[in-house]
Amino acid sequence: MDHPIKYNRVLLKISGESLSGEGGFGIDRDQLHKIAQQCVDVQKAGAELAIVCGGGNFIRGAQFTQDGTFPRTTADYMGMLGTVINALALQETMETLYPGDEMSVRVMSAISISRVCEPFIRRKAIRHLEKGRAIILAAGTGNPFFTTDTCAALRAAEIEADALLKATKVDGIYDCDPKTNPDAKRFDNLTYTEAIDKRLKVMDMAAFTMCEEREMPVIVFDMGVPGNILKVVKGETIGTTVGV
Ligand code: UDP
């Protein structure tokens, strides 16, 4: 049976790493294509889709400055620019997969790069969604010392998304790392307080707190399985749902 859409307006957080191939650096065409296809399918199904891209496949500010020789602020700006590269790649690929007016994708950046993409303006972003365009929100929050997870929660709140979808390489939230512990237990549901108290390394505390204040569900799931993003949008129970 085909499920109707449960979450009409979603904010999808994609990590930079998910766009990379082996080695975790740069953009792998095959990965990019697979992710873009899933995004297009969500769009075709009629959901309003806003995407926040990470930039960890290029630079993570905190890691780059670990030895203390490089200013954190500069490294963070480099990281934010990395997210713009990812956003442009995803935009182009989505539009190639679904040519024509139906699939218009706009990149909106928190840092002004007017020759390359639009600036992020909340009311414009919502208008794009209402007109059936997907939006890719680049350059994080535009501020150093933040992550794109926090940005995803912030933008989800700003555009009044029905849910924040956190796409990962793991099929949900576990009580410990399932890669190193075969007895790791996966949660189907968690409250925000549980997610925060357990200090699960799936999303920043700031991001969870922002979602909690708005009672916005956060769904953590494996994007590596084709069709999973659409399944989540349709409310099928996969991954872990963090909510009230
Ligand atoms: N970043 C930042 N401010 C933001 C968002 C991102 O300074 O609002 C920088 C930060 O250095 C971060 C990098 O951009 O490490 C890439 O983002 P992130 O690590 O969140 O990407 P992901 O892990 O999701 O690929």
Side-chain angles (χ1 to χ4, degrees):
M1 194 193 89
D2 198 26
H3 293 251
I5 286 173
K6 178 174 181 186
Y7 302 111
N8 288 311
R9 178 176 294 171
V10 293
L11 188 304
L12 172 69
K13 162 71 207 302
I14 299 174
S15 73
E17 204 185 346
S18 63
L19 294 169
S20 68
E22 298 232 342
F25 187 82
I27 298 175
D28 178 82
R29 292 284 193 110
D30 195 39
Q31 281 298 111
L32 176 65
H33 192 276
K34 282 184 190 151
I35 291 172
Q37 184 64 63
Q38 288 206 55
C39 294
V40 165
D41 290 344
V42 169
Q43 185 80 355
K44 273 187 184 170
E48 293 181 358
L49 178 65
I51 302 167
V52 165
C53 270
N57 52 329
F58 291 111
I59 275 189
R60 286 200 180 89
Q63 282 170 11
F64 200 69
T65 52
Q66 248 164 10
D67 67 0
T69 58
F70 205 82
R72 171 70 189 266
T73 41
T74 306
D76 278 343
Y77 280 115
M78 292 162 73
M80 284 185 263
L81 294 178
T83 72
V84 180
I85 300 176
N86 288 333
L88 294 175
L90 189 57
Q91 175 190 38
E92 206 62 60
T93 313
M94 283 172 72
E95 289 191 339
T96 309
L97 285 169
Y98 192 14
D101 287 345
E102 302 100 307
M103 188 68 220
S104 172
V105 185
R106 299 294 176 91
V107 174
M108 307 184 93
S109 172
I111 295 174
S112 173
I113 323 176
S114 57
R115 300 280 290 272
V116 176
C117 58
E118 298 174 29
F120 173 76
I121 298 169
R122 189 187 72 88
R123 292 174 71 106
K124 253 190 140 176
I126 291 173
R127 193 77 192 113
H128 284 322
L129 293 173
E130 287 170 349
K131 284 190 164 182
R133 298 175 186 136
I135 52 175
I136 307 178
L137 307 175
T141 61
N143 301 296
F145 305 109
F146 284 89
T147 66
T148 49
D149 277 359
T150 313
C151 169
L154 172 69
R155 297 294 186 233
E158 284 184 276
I159 63 164
E160 294 171 17
D162 299 319
L164 194 166
L165 316 187
K166 161 96 177 165
T168 68
K169 286 184 170 174
V170 185
D171 63 345
I173 304 180
Y174 285 77
D175 57 354
C176 55
D177 188 350
K179 281 186 210 139
T180 50
N181 191 338
D183 298 325
K185 181 178 157 285
R186 185 168 67 91
F187 302 104
D188 290 335
N189 291 285
L190 279 174
T191 64
Y192 301 102
T193 316
E194 282 169 337
I196 293 166
D197 288 351
K198 287 179 196 299
R199 298 196 170 274
L200 301 164
K201 287 192 187 113
V202 63
M203 219 167 74
D204 303 342
M205 294 304 119
F208 270 132
T209 308
M210 214 177 306
C211 294
E212 181 178 25
E213 276 169 14
R214 275 151 200 90
E215 295 187 6
M216 187 182 345
V218 180
I219 301 145
V220 180
F221 66 102
D222 181 4
M223 184 176 56
V225 179
N228 261 1
I229 304 178
L230 185 55
K231 280 187 185 165
V232 175
V233 169
K234 288 182 170 181
E236 291 186 39
T237 41
I238 56 170
T240 302
T241 301
V242 183
V244 270

